[in-house]
Amino acid sequence: MTTLKTIDSARLYGLAELVDIAEQNNPQTRIVWERAKQRADELGVARSAYYPVLVGVAAFADQRIINPFPIPLAPRGYVMVEIPAIVPEITLDYLLFDFGKRGARVDSATAAKLAAGANFIQTNQQVAFQVATTYYKLVAQQERLEAAHQTLKTAQTTQDAAEAQLANGRSTIPDVLNARAETAQAAFDMESADGDEKIARVALTQTLGVEPSPNITIDAARDAPLPESLTLSIDELIDRAMKDRPDLAAQALEIRRADDTIKAARSEYWPQAVLQGNAAYTSIWPTADYGKLGSTGQATWAATLAIEWKLFDGGARKNELAKAQSEKRTAAEELREKKDNATREVWTAYIAFHTALRKERAAQALLESANASYSSSLDAYKYGVKNLIDVVTAEKQLALARYSSVAARSELFLEAVDLEFVTGNLLRTQQKATKAGTGASVTGNPTAGDKTQ
């Protein structure tokens, strides 16, 4: 993995770049990457069983032995012999046939490697989803802060109108105080929104795996078009999830690995053929306390073809096979459960997207209506047709409409990202599940009626 990245407070970061930073910094992605490398190494270990094992040995020995010998030939009735020796040797151990045990283990390791790759993709998608979620939440807080600022301007406009009416003798001190209270409340809400926006910045940096800090600036893409419809039906979305979700692919590979483990366990009931051999050069120069012995240096070798068949093992093979079969059943049930969960998640995301779409459209209509209501109420108040209570009521409705519009816009983006995530299409180049429309204003024209400023 590459080195950790840091955040430059002077830069403007887009969503794609933030995802790239998180993928390199997040501990989970680094962990699953190392695990994927471990599974690849385990596959190499399994494949090595197809090759012979060669071992080089250099033995240096010194031996003293006593041999009984007739007294006429050896006065003491024995001969003491010392045999120093140097034996450089190469041994070979080659498994020729094992009824598919090695093949099953290689297949099992291959499935484990592929599953680790799928888990790596899944983790990257999860990290990307977390980054996108915190990114859009930060965008929502920034838009909420902007809406709070515009609400403060609206409240100030109402207050200015009330004070102007008081100066003209067409208003009362309680009206002005009421307007000032609304301005103070709007200022309070703006400070609260400012704090929430900074906290959202800290949450984003934490998700990126960098030092948590509010010192990050994002490209909020205010003019980005909103998703307006789906490109796939619910059946097509579910089919995509069944085919493309990495967690389902990883679980299917777990079943395949369990099958291979069963094959390897069954192969233990059959014999295996092993070729064993060694070649050496033996040098000795023995000496005896009686008589004379000759030294030599000769090449020596041995070769054996052995058939090994385990006849009794106390039930070890039986239990290993039963365990492997149980693991397969477990993996199959887990796959069924994950498929059910995936279908539920797709249905939930599908319904939530349509709900968010309708809420966003309703929020836009609410914002336009509240805008018009406030503007007309303010004009009517200036002409003495309505009282300040009507203006303040319209002002509160406008503020609520602004916040509703911000929340609905954020929710729509989040649901669109969630739909890509639950179908396994996040970070991939396939057709998107949602279709974007034309750009939409964050809060419409929230300062309508401020023309008196």
Side-chain angles (χ1 to χ4, degrees):
M1 295 289 287
T2 57
T3 56
L4 295 177
K5 286 192 173 183
T6 58
I7 291 295
D8 183 359
S9 58
R11 286 190 57 183
L12 191 67
Y13 291 94
L15 178 57
E17 190 173 7
L18 293 174
V19 170
D20 180 65
I21 293 172
E23 287 180 334
Q24 296 186 50
N25 284 22
N26 192 284
Q28 289 301 315
T29 59
R30 302 173 78 88
I31 290 171
V32 296
W33 172 253
E34 292 300 329
R35 286 177 178 168
K37 290 169 62 177
Q38 292 164 16
R39 299 296 87 76
D41 293 336
E42 288 174 0
L43 175 58
V45 172
R47 286 175 173 166
S48 68
Y50 281 98
Y51 297 92
V53 177
L54 291 175
V55 180
V57 179
F60 303 89
D62 189 7
Q63 182 181 20
R64 173 183 285 185
I65 60 176
I66 298 175
N67 290 326
F69 223 69
I71 289 178
L73 300 178
R76 291 179 294 179
Y78 65 88
V79 176
M80 183 81 70
V81 179
E82 291 190 7
I83 309 175
I86 297 178
V87 186
E89 180 181 13
I90 293 178
T91 64
L92 176 143
D93 195 347
Y94 194 4
L95 178 62
L96 299 178
F97 186 71
D98 61 1
F99 282 91
K101 179 179 178 180
R102 289 174 297 181
R105 288 182 173 175
V106 168
D107 291 341
S108 177
T110 301
K113 175 187 174 183
L114 295 174
N119 287 328
F120 180 69
I121 295 173
Q122 175 70 11
T123 301
N124 275 272
Q125 289 190 351
Q126 288 174 341
V127 169
F129 178 69
Q130 292 170 1
V131 172
T133 299
T134 52
Y135 169 84
Y136 282 120
K137 286 181 179 178
L138 173 56
V139 171
Q141 291 299 335
Q142 291 179 341
E143 293 174 352
R144 177 170 170 260
L145 177 60
E146 180 181 338
H149 177 71
Q150 292 167 346
T151 297
L152 178 59
K153 290 174 62 179
T154 302
Q156 187 64 54
T157 299
T158 303
Q159 179 182 330
D160 292 344
E163 291 176 346
Q165 291 293 81
L166 178 64
N168 294 330
R170 290 181 293 182
S171 183
T172 63
I173 291 295
D175 284 344
V176 173
L177 294 176
N178 190 11
R180 289 175 180 174
E182 291 299 321
T183 302
Q185 180 64 52
F188 175 84
D189 291 341
M190 189 178 72
E191 293 301 328
S192 177
D194 182 66
D196 290 342
E197 191 267 350
K198 288 183 172 63
I199 292 174
R201 290 174 185 265
V202 175
L204 178 59
T205 54
Q206 183 177 10
T207 304
L208 297 178
V210 299
E211 181 180 357
S213 167
N215 299 323
I216 183 173
T217 307
I218 65 168
D219 179 8
R222 300 296 178 86
D223 297 326
L226 287 168
E228 66 174 9
S229 63
L230 292 174
T231 60
L232 300 173
S233 67
I234 181 61
D235 290 335
E236 290 172 323
L237 291 171
I238 292 175
D239 288 342
R240 170 177 283 186
M242 294 300 108
K243 292 187 297 183
D244 294 344
R245 279 184 56 142
D247 57 336
L248 298 183
Q251 191 59 42
L253 287 164
E254 285 298 321
I255 296 177
R256 171 179 158 183
R257 188 182 67 83
D259 273 328
D260 295 324
T261 303
I262 291 173
K263 292 178 183 177
R266 284 176 174 162
S267 70
E268 291 287 349
Y269 282 94
W270 300 96
Q272 61 182 17
V274 181
L275 176 63
Q276 297 173 329
N278 65 73
Y281 189 86
T282 304
S283 297
I284 61 173
W285 48 96
T287 59
D289 62 350
Y290 187 82
K292 183 177 181 181
L293 300 175
S295 61
T296 186
Q298 296 290 333
T300 57
W301 57 269
T304 304
L305 177 61
I307 304 298
E308 299 178 359
W309 198 341
K310 192 181 294 183
L311 300 178
F312 181 74
D313 60 4
R317 291 173 294 180
K318 176 184 176 181
N319 290 319
E320 285 291 337
L321 179 57
K323 175 186 173 184
Q325 292 170 335
S326 177
E327 288 176 348
K328 179 184 177 181
R329 292 191 295 270
T330 301
E333 290 301 317
E334 288 176 349
L335 178 61
R336 184 168 68 89
E337 181 184 22
K338 288 185 177 181
K339 284 185 175 180
D340 290 343
N341 288 337
T343 302
R344 175 183 55 78
E345 289 172 358
V346 173
W347 265 110
T348 301
Y350 175 83
I351 295 171
F353 176 80
H354 281 291
T355 302
L357 191 62
R358 291 191 296 269
K359 287 171 66 176
E360 197 280 329
R361 290 170 180 171
Q364 287 297 322
L366 173 63
L367 181 58
E368 293 174 3
S369 176
N371 244 326
S373 175
Y374 174 76
S375 181
S376 62
S377 296
L378 183 62
D379 289 340
Y381 173 70
K382 290 177 181 179
Y383 287 109
V385 178
K386 285 191 174 185
N387 58 38
L388 187 64
I389 294 178
D390 296 326
V391 180
V392 171
T393 300
E395 177 188 322
K396 291 180 178 179
Q397 291 176 341
L398 179 55
L400 179 62
R402 285 176 179 144
Y403 294 136
S404 297
S405 178
V406 168
R409 173 182 166 89
S410 174
E411 183 179 352
L412 186 55
F413 276 120
L414 288 172
E415 295 301 339
V417 172
D418 185 51
L419 199 55
E420 300 295 346
F421 176 64
V422 298
T423 56
N425 197 41
L426 204 60
L427 300 179
R428 289 179 171 169
T429 57
Q430 297 185 87
Q431 178 188 13
K432 298 298 181 184
T434 59
K435 178 182 178 182
T438 57
S441 173
V442 175
T443 53
N445 183 23
T447 56
D450 293 354
K451 53 191 176 185
T452 58
Q453 291 186 330

